[in-house]
Amino acid sequence: MKRKAAVAVVVALGAGLSWSALAQVKPEILIKQRQAVMTLQGKYFGPMGGMAQGKVPYNADVVRRNAGFLDNLSRMPWDGFDPSTKDVKDIKTAALPAIWSEPDKFRQAADRLQAETAKLYEASRGGDESAVKNQIAAVGKACGACHENFRQKQ
Amino acid sequence: MKRKAAVAVVVALGAGLSWSALAQVKPEILIKQRQAVMTLQGKYFGPMGGMAQGKVPYNADVVRRNAGFLDNLSRMPWDGFDPSTKDVKDIKTAALPAIWSEPDKFRQAADRLQAETAKLYEASRGGDESAVKNQIAAVGKACGACHENFRQKQ
């Protein structure tokens, strides 16, 4: 009883998911979720980008933590780009129609980010600062390449 | 050169972090980032809560993935509750003043969530469905306890 009650409370406070329609999460929620991932990718990539550029002092512990988070985050946004979100008008989104008209290319861009962040995670476990910085740059390029093709210019 | 250019692009497209003021991220950005974490905790806890309640078919693969994501997410929001965010008026937030007036209690609630999600991660690697469901409920209670004390009633 206690277990069920506790879960129910959290569910009620949750992200708008309804149990009977988990496979049909509202498009507005999907957009909010994928944008949340981008926000956090910015949070954890940002300082590492600064380190790779020499604008922020290099901190191996921060890189290790951030690379681990980013490795997870890079797997989170993609199901949020469901075709049902294409025609939502009342949320501001920079997602371009190419996401849905060129799904293979979009998938490749997604895979590239995941591959590069996985490599960064590995590199961050080693002690080679220069290798880590190069891999931070590779992750940055993967972000940029996807934005270039699939996100409205900002 | 190529490396620097790529990083700069991403930085410019990023989350509003400026290199010279990484230690002083704008309070509005901090709020957006911590809310992004809550959104994603809802995304990945939601289906597991449904499974623990028997309202969604149990899927060990989904639990394994979601528990891993949640274990990471549970470590992300806390630096977003910086005292500088207390007086921001132009973003809707349900954060209660108790977060800053009872910092030890808030820290305990944060630690509890992290401990419970770490246990869920471990349990999800084993094959004991009942243990996993109990631990999902324990995570739900940790969410609920923190919301009870530190979040406006919704």
Side-chain angles (χ1 to χ4, degrees):
Chain A
M1 282 302 287
K2 276 175 101 177
R3 174 161 71 75
K4 286 200 176 176
V7 172
V9 166
V10 174
V11 165
L13 302 173
L17 292 166
S18 82
W19 304 136
S20 56
L22 270 175
Q24 306 156 17
V25 178
K26 280 189 193 167
E28 290 79 6
I29 301 283
L30 291 172
I31 293 174
K32 191 180 165 193
Q33 290 171 338
R34 75 190 189 207
Q35 290 181 338
V37 180
M38 301 291 161
T39 293
L40 293 171
Q41 286 174 323
K43 177 181 181 186
Y44 293 108
F45 181 78
M48 294 197 292
M51 291 179 204
Q53 287 188 297
K55 295 186 177 177
V56 174
Y58 187 76
N59 182 321
D61 291 332
V62 169
V63 169
R64 225 175 344 254
R65 186 201 61 177
N66 287 17
F69 286 163
L70 213 57
D71 183 43
N72 279 267
L73 289 164
S74 73
R75 288 176 274 143
M76 294 184 194
W78 315 113
D79 58 355
F81 292 96
D82 190 84
S84 68
T85 63
K86 250 194 305 190
D87 302 314
V88 171
K89 298 290 177 216
D90 50 344
I91 300 180
K92 204 178 147 191
T93 158
L96 292 177
I99 291 166
W100 298 283
S101 63
E102 302 178 64
D104 292 347
K105 205 174 153 190
F106 184 63
R107 167 52 55 193
Q108 280 166 22
D111 289 347
R112 176 177 167 187
L113 180 69
Q114 291 177 74
E116 297 295 5
T117 55
K119 282 187 208 164
L120 178 58
Y121 177 80
E122 289 306 323
S124 75
R125 264 62 196 159
D128 186 342
E129 182 178 322
S130 164
V132 170
K133 286 180 173 173
N134 283 333
Q135 192 53 38
I136 290 170
V139 169
K141 282 189 195 175
C143 297
C146 195
H147 290 169
E148 178 67 27
N149 293 313
F150 299 106
R151 188 170 84 156
Q152 248 166 44
K153 299 286 170 285
Q154 314 233 310
Chain B
M1 282 302 287
K2 275 176 100 177
R3 176 161 70 76
K4 287 198 175 176
V7 172
V9 167
V10 175
V11 165
L13 301 174
L17 293 167
S18 81
W19 303 137
S20 57
L22 269 175
Q24 305 155 19
V25 178
K26 281 188 192 167
E28 290 79 6
I29 301 284
L30 290 172
I31 293 174
K32 191 180 165 194
Q33 291 171 339
R34 76 190 189 207
Q35 290 181 338
V37 180
M38 301 292 161
T39 293
L40 294 171
Q41 286 174 323
K43 177 181 180 186
Y44 294 108
F45 181 78
M48 294 196 293
M51 290 178 204
Q53 287 188 298
K55 294 187 177 174
V56 175
Y58 188 75
N59 182 321
D61 291 332
V62 169
V63 169
R64 229 180 336 257
R65 187 201 61 177
N66 287 18
F69 285 163
L70 212 58
D71 183 44
N72 279 267
L73 289 164
S74 74
R75 286 176 276 141
M76 294 184 193
W78 315 112
D79 58 354
F81 292 97
D82 190 85
S84 67
T85 62
K86 251 194 303 188
D87 302 314
V88 171
K89 298 290 177 214
D90 49 343
I91 300 180
K92 203 177 148 191
T93 157
L96 291 177
I99 291 167
W100 299 283
S101 62
E102 302 179 64
D104 292 347
K105 204 174 153 189
F106 184 62
R107 166 53 53 195
Q108 280 166 23
D111 289 347
R112 177 177 166 188
L113 180 68
Q114 291 176 75
E116 297 295 5
T117 55
K119 282 186 209 165
L120 177 58
Y121 177 80
E122 288 306 323
S124 74
R125 264 63 197 160
D128 185 343
E129 182 178 322
S130 164
V132 170
K133 287 180 173 175
N134 283 332
Q135 192 52 38
I136 291 171
V139 169
K141 282 188 193 175
C143 297
C146 195
H147 289 169
E148 177 68 26
N149 292 313
F150 299 106
R151 187 169 87 155
Q152 250 166 42
K153 299 288 170 285
Q154 314 231 311

